[in-house]
Amino acid sequence: SKKAFIFDLDGVIVDTAKYHFLAWQKIAKSLNINFTHEDNELLKGVSRVRSLDIILGLGNVQATQEQKDQWLIQKNEDYLSYLVDMDESEVLPGVLKILKLLKDKNQGIALGSASKNARPILEKTGVLSYFDVIVDGNDVSNAKPDPEVFLKAAQLLNIDPKNSIVFEDSVAGIQAANIAEMVSVGIGEETILHEADHIFKDFTQIETSFIEELIG
Ligand code: BG6
Ligand code: MG
């Protein structure tokens, strides 16, 4: 039957998580805040505004809204500078095979991302045309772990949340999928994503038979 397959973007389709980290680290360094890879896990899947608040919280830094807006602009400009040369080669291993399989099987395919930069990234990496529906940071008001982004995607595909599957690399995203009562598939480390219904190190580990079983 027709199911909704909803993909997160950063860290799932493309390895942009590393660029987000580098850009945030620059801001943190300029404020003398110690910001580690471990801290960065808390930022995955989280909106830009909330991410800054988390970083400022780590350093106990207070700031005016004006200052914060300035840092948000700076972070995004820096982040975008890493994306200038982005192309098809940055699509993570195994992703295209799964997207093609789902298209062949006439499944609903959606993007469910917190990023406001989602569309240009999908375009640059050549995968935009696979997606029937795109819900991103410009379309939602509640950030993951709120399930709004995934519920909206399923609704636009006209498919019940219970018939929806979410691929996520973030704890907040897995929680959002679980709250939406969707099947959650974690892409990454088992120790971090243990709340997911299924966990794979990356898309190369996902067998065709696993997808076929999900389709049912
Ligand atoms: C999420 C990323 O997908 O999007 C976060 O995991 C990021 O790290 C968030 O902060 C917002 O992205 P952007 O591109 O709008 O700053
Ligand atoms: Mg992600």
Side-chain angles (χ1 to χ4, degrees):
S1 61
K2 189 162 179 168
K3 301 276 166 78
F5 286 84
I6 307 172
F7 293 78
D8 174 47
L9 175 71
D10 296 307
V12 168
I13 294 175
V14 284
D15 193 10
T16 39
K18 64 185 178 201
Y19 301 140
H20 281 295
F21 176 70
L22 290 173
W24 282 128
Q25 208 179 34
K26 253 186 216 174
I27 300 284
K29 270 204 180 125
S30 74
L31 297 171
N32 268 318
I33 298 172
N34 183 35
F35 174 60
T36 64
H37 266 105
E38 208 169 59
D39 299 326
N40 191 51
E41 287 304 321
L42 300 171
L43 267 51
K44 288 189 180 172
V46 173
S47 73
R48 199 182 304 168
V49 170
R50 177 98 188 88
S51 297
L52 177 63
D53 283 338
I54 292 174
I55 291 171
L56 296 180
L58 288 172
N60 244 319
V61 172
Q62 313 278 338
T64 64
Q65 193 53 52
E66 245 185 319
Q67 265 178 320
K68 286 192 198 178
D69 289 344
Q70 199 46 49
W71 291 326
L72 288 169
I73 290 168
Q74 214 176 302
K75 186 270 172 178
N76 198 51
E77 279 177 358
D78 191 40
Y79 176 65
L80 291 177
S81 75
Y82 294 111
L83 305 186
V84 172
D85 297 325
M86 186 169 232
D87 61 20
E88 286 91 343
S89 69
E90 299 215 27
V91 175
L92 284 165
V95 171
L96 275 182
K97 187 186 152 195
I98 300 294
L99 286 174
K100 283 182 182 151
L101 176 66
L102 294 173
K103 264 276 174 273
D104 279 351
K105 302 218 172 258
N106 199 27
Q107 297 299 299
I109 305 179
L111 190 85
S113 168
S115 174
K116 295 190 171 180
N117 298 303
R119 272 177 189 274
I121 291 173
L122 293 177
E123 271 171 33
K124 276 171 167 293
T125 54
V127 294
L128 181 65
S129 62
Y130 287 98
F131 292 88
D132 304 307
V133 156
I134 292 172
V135 183
D136 65 23
N138 302 294
D139 307 309
V140 292
S141 36
N142 302 300
K144 300 167 188 175
D146 189 287
E148 182 184 5
V149 61
F150 297 143
L151 290 172
K152 213 164 185 173
Q155 192 184 6
L156 286 170
L157 285 169
N158 212 2
I159 291 172
D160 202 81
K162 288 202 166 65
N163 289 321
S164 302
I165 298 99
V166 171
F167 297 101
E168 257 292 349
D169 71 316
S170 72
V171 175
I174 293 295
Q175 289 170 341
N178 290 343
I179 292 167
E181 295 187 37
M182 297 176 171
V183 176
S184 55
V185 182
I187 304 294
E189 299 293 329
E190 187 142 10
T191 47
I192 295 169
L193 302 175
H194 53 84
E195 289 170 65
D197 296 322
H198 307 272
I199 306 169
F200 298 95
K201 207 166 163 27
D202 58 49
F203 276 91
T204 66
Q205 304 300 306
I206 301 182
E207 307 260 10
T208 303
S209 59
F210 174 74
I211 299 290
E212 285 169 347
E213 267 167 44
L214 288 172
I215 295 170

